[in-house]
Amino acid sequence: TQSTRPQRLLHAVQKNATRGDPRSVVKAIDNFCRQKEWAMNVGDEKGCILDSVVSEVNPVTVLELGTYCGYSTVRIASLLPPRAKIITLEFNPDYAKIARQVIAWAGLEDKIQVVEGPSGEWIPKMKEQFGVKTFDLVFLDHWKDRYLPDTKLLEDCGLLRKGTILLADNVICPGTPDYLEYVRNSPRYKSQYFKSHLEYTKAEDGLEKSVFLG
Ligand SMILES: Cc1cc(C(=O)N2CCN(C)CC2)sc1-c1cc(O)c2nc[nH]c(=O)c2c1
Ligand SMILES: [Mg+2]
């Protein structure tokens, strides 16, 4: 039976990365996507912007919407202080299965909780299920049509605090116009656009960083 692209990406990690070395896992995935097959990881160019935001925020509690194969999950977790945690939501069970193995190869299982299912159903359960009070950082990288409704849900569920940072991938390509319009015009956010490129291509894309003002 034919393998899937996430399975081939996992095999590239197991073949080329060192167990317990998150940066080698990130490098192995980027090399696979540059040399073999494009895949929708945030990539190294936008990944460096992600790294700088994570390092600046120094979050204790992180929410990632959209795990895919765990590339950005590993990238973020490798920068977190010892007791910090990241909860990552993935709708697709096949992606979640691969991500758990990529995360295990990086040796970051203790910092990461992969949760399978729709973000719209899990966000309202964050407090009761995972003992979350508020998130310090939210990385939106799941589905363009869910960025705005899930942001409003996070607000309504009291999961954002004054100073929480929302960082959104793909605001240009594939594009999230309704989300951009909201965070750029709402008095409750201060937004900033980081121009970059779609992973592994020359097409324009960027990250939008928005501070929740409470
Ligand atoms: C699937 C896909 C195809 C894209 C594209 O324009 N392509 C032209 C150029 N060729 C080379 C690649 C394909 S961009 C993109 C994409 C990229 C992300 O970072 C995503 N992140 C989260 N969730 C998504 O659904 C998501 C989709
Ligand atoms: Mg993306």
Side-chain angles (χ1 to χ4, degrees), residues 38 40-43 46 65-66 72 139-142 147 168-171 173-174 198-199 205 207:
W38 186 92
M40 60 178 172
N41 317 116
V42 74
K46 289 186 288 179
L65 301 176
S72 49
F139 182 50
L140 297 94
D141 191 25
H142 52 336
Y147 281 31
D169 190 26
N170 309 116
V171 295
C173 176
L198 176 68
E199 50 266 25
D205 189 22
L207 300 175

Side-chain angles (χ1 to χ4, degrees), residues 20-213:
D21 177 355
R23 302 313 294 181
S24 77
V25 168
V26 166
K27 195 157 288 308
I29 294 172
D30 282 330
N31 288 340
F32 173 78
C33 292
R34 267 196 296 271
Q35 294 157 14
K36 298 286 188 321
E37 304 182 54
W38 186 92
M40 60 178 172
N41 317 116
V42 74
D44 197 47
E45 189 179 316
K46 289 186 288 179
C48 286
I49 301 167
L50 172 62
D51 290 351
S52 62
V53 171
V54 174
S55 302
E56 174 201 333
V57 176
N58 232 335
V60 173
T61 314
V62 181
L63 174 64
E64 176 179 64
L65 301 176
T67 316
Y68 186 45
C69 295
Y71 173 92
S72 49
T73 327
V74 165
R75 211 166 165 134
I76 295 168
S78 71
L79 297 173
L80 295 182
R83 274 171 311 293
K85 295 269 186 264
I86 175 168
I87 295 172
T88 181
L89 301 187
E90 179 50 60
F91 177 72
N92 181 313
D94 299 323
Y95 293 169
K97 214 190 311 298
I98 296 294
R100 293 182 203 280
Q101 296 173 80
V102 168
I103 289 160
W105 197 267
L108 290 168
E109 310 93 310
D110 296 348
K111 297 176 116 40
I112 299 166
Q113 172 138 31
V114 180
V115 179
E116 287 180 44
S119 49
E121 288 178 22
W122 273 111
I123 287 171
K125 296 179 184 167
M126 281 290 145
K127 294 193 179 219
E128 69 187 283
Q129 294 283 330
F130 304 107
V132 170
K133 267 173 72 291
T134 55
F135 290 109
D136 303 312
L137 171 67
V138 181
F139 182 50
L140 297 94
D141 191 25
H142 52 336
W143 180 242
K144 56 188 168 55
D145 299 342
R146 289 298 316 174
Y147 281 31
L148 183 52
D150 285 347
T151 296
K152 290 181 171 174
L153 200 49
L154 286 163
E155 289 174 15
D156 298 343
C157 296
L159 286 164
L160 306 182
R161 53 136 173 109
K162 194 191 293 287
T164 295
I165 301 290
L166 303 189
L167 188 65
D169 190 26
N170 309 116
V171 295
I172 303 301
C173 176
T176 60
D178 60 342
Y179 172 79
L180 274 189
E181 200 274 331
Y182 179 71
V183 292
R184 288 178 175 175
N185 298 306
S186 163
R188 305 184 78 184
Y189 293 91
K190 178 88 187 77
S191 270
Q192 185 183 1
Y193 176 58
F194 292 82
K195 185 175 163 86
S196 184
H197 295 94
L198 176 68
E199 50 266 25
Y200 319 114
T201 79
K202 293 186 168 50
E204 180 179 346
D205 189 22
L207 300 175
E208 187 80 2
K209 176 188 171 193
S210 307
V211 187
F212 184 61
L213 302 173

